[in-house]
Amino acid sequence: MELPLKYRQQLMNIEKGLEGEIYFDSQLQALPDESVILCDLLFEINNTHFQIDTLLLSHDVVHLFEVKNYEGDFMIENEVWYTTTGYEIKNPLLQLQRNQSLLRQLFQKYRISLPVKASLVFTNPDFYVYQASYDLPIIFPHQIEPFVSQWKHDPVQFSHESHRAAEKLQALHIEMSPFRQFPAFTRRQLQNGIRCRACSAFLKLPQRTLICPACGRAESLEKGVIRNAEEWKLLFPEEPLTTRGVHEWCGLDIDKKRIKRILSKKYSRFGNGRRSHFQ
């Protein structure tokens, strides 16, 4: 369905932020295999939830990175951030300080003695901020590679405390955010079809293989049906995964028996007749 403007803007912001996080995390992959890197974490301390983009653990310190994919020119005046057109924005350093403080509180609760060093990372090469003090904990786009390179050739040695911290942080991570927001929708509002993984256009089935009419990408029918079945589970978690439901959701002229065979390879079948479903 077509998203309302409010959610379209929210989706664009989320996607842009995710691109920045993926880029920065890809830079960290160049570090030695022994490096402990934890990404996209959600914690709760004293009834307060906080999200952390990336943590890098060493033997004596935990590096906390808040990643921003801002684009354009900004300026700082009296610790207030503005666009060059004079529009005030949230000070990202305040968010960094908040997360650093909450992570320290989490460490205190579980008696983790490692200090937390926090940095604000900007990944977009088209970002620039005027009047930024040199002592701010900011890593600019052109500084990312040399910043990461300082660890590339150093032997990584982890203390018992850093290993304990990594295990505890992974155990404390909350998988499902209580603040997730989705636009309201019903089954009938959504268009049936299998979307192209590359460009999101609806695929066609001229013969035995799914073809994208927009970009020409091909995909096996089995993979396309399974992707759509996973979408069904995500969008309609309260509804059973049935042959009939997936057949309608795919929106193509496919024999139901073929859909059933494909689902049987991936999922376990329960029940018989009209009440049969897959899990």
Side-chain angles (χ1 to χ4, degrees):
M1 73 178 194
E2 183 177 347
L3 287 175
L5 179 61
K6 165 187 170 183
Y7 288 106
R8 286 205 303 271
Q9 186 62 49
Q10 182 181 355
L11 178 61
M12 289 174 58
N13 293 337
I14 292 173
E15 289 179 332
K16 190 169 184 178
L18 180 61
E19 288 174 4
E21 293 174 26
I22 290 174
Y23 170 76
F24 181 65
D25 293 339
S26 71
Q27 298 299 301
L28 294 180
Q29 295 307 311
L31 297 181
D33 293 339
E34 297 85 359
S35 302
V36 177
I37 304 168
L38 304 177
C39 305
D40 196 18
L41 301 166
L42 179 65
F43 301 117
E44 185 269 332
I45 182 71
N46 298 329
N47 297 317
T48 300
H49 288 81
F50 64 106
Q51 187 265 338
I52 290 178
D53 294 334
T54 303
L55 291 179
L56 173 64
L57 283 74
S58 69
H59 72 284
D60 60 351
V61 66
V62 173
H63 296 271
L64 183 159
F65 300 106
E66 181 72 29
V67 183
K68 299 297 183 185
N69 194 17
Y70 290 0
E71 183 176 0
D73 294 336
F74 299 82
M75 56 186 177
I76 305 174
E77 291 183 0
N78 299 321
E79 300 184 356
V80 180
W81 288 56
Y82 300 91
T83 65
T84 51
T85 58
Y87 184 78
E88 183 177 345
I89 65 169
K90 288 183 179 179
N91 183 343
L93 287 170
L94 296 180
Q95 182 181 356
L96 179 73
Q97 294 166 6
R98 173 183 181 271
N99 285 349
Q100 183 182 26
S101 174
L102 291 169
L103 185 62
R104 284 199 300 256
Q105 293 175 46
L106 193 73
F107 280 11
Q108 290 172 6
K109 180 177 180 179
Y110 293 98
R111 305 192 180 201
I112 298 172
S113 60
L114 295 172
V116 178
K117 183 177 181 180
S119 299
L120 182 62
V121 182
F122 291 99
T123 60
N124 197 311
D126 294 324
F127 166 84
Y128 189 79
V129 58
Y130 296 92
Q131 300 174 210
S133 174
Y134 74 92
D135 58 347
L136 292 177
I138 294 177
I139 301 173
F140 292 100
H142 68 280
Q143 297 175 317
I144 293 176
E145 186 173 345
F147 179 80
V148 173
S149 294
Q150 63 183 306
W151 288 298
K152 282 185 181 180
H153 306 296
D154 293 337
V156 180
Q157 297 180 351
F158 290 100
S159 63
H160 171 75
E161 187 68 358
S162 61
H163 278 294
R164 189 174 77 86
E167 292 175 356
K168 193 63 182 179
L169 288 169
Q170 292 180 80
L172 291 172
H173 167 59
I174 301 171
E175 291 290 344
M176 185 68 70
S177 170
F179 307 109
R180 295 178 73 181
Q181 295 184 7
F182 294 103
F185 62 88
T186 64
R187 172 70 184 82
R188 293 190 177 185
Q189 285 179 283
L190 305 185
Q191 185 176 349
N192 297 328
I194 302 177
R195 305 290 292 271
C196 175
R197 295 183 66 181
C199 70
S200 294
F202 284 101
L203 301 179
K204 303 292 185 182
L205 185 64
Q207 294 181 353
R208 296 184 176 182
T209 303
L210 294 166
I211 301 293
C212 178
C215 70
R217 179 169 180 157
E219 183 179 28
S220 70
L221 177 62
E222 182 172 330
K223 288 184 178 179
V225 169
I226 294 301
R227 280 201 299 111
N228 251 30
E230 289 298 310
E231 284 188 359
W232 177 280
K233 290 168 61 180
L234 176 67
L235 295 171
F236 316 111
E238 303 302 322
E239 295 190 29
L241 184 68
T242 64
T243 300
R244 179 179 178 181
V246 174
H247 179 265
E248 293 178 355
W249 184 234
C250 289
L252 295 169
D253 186 17
I254 310 170
D255 185 75
K256 285 186 180 180
K257 292 182 179 180
R258 195 172 181 185
I259 295 286
K260 185 177 180 180
R261 286 197 300 269
I262 292 173
L263 295 178
S264 297
K265 291 181 182 179
K266 174 71 174 179
Y267 308 101
S268 299
R269 184 184 174 192
F270 296 87
N272 295 304
R274 292 186 177 183
R275 294 189 177 182
S276 67
H277 63 281
F278 296 90
Q279 290 184 357

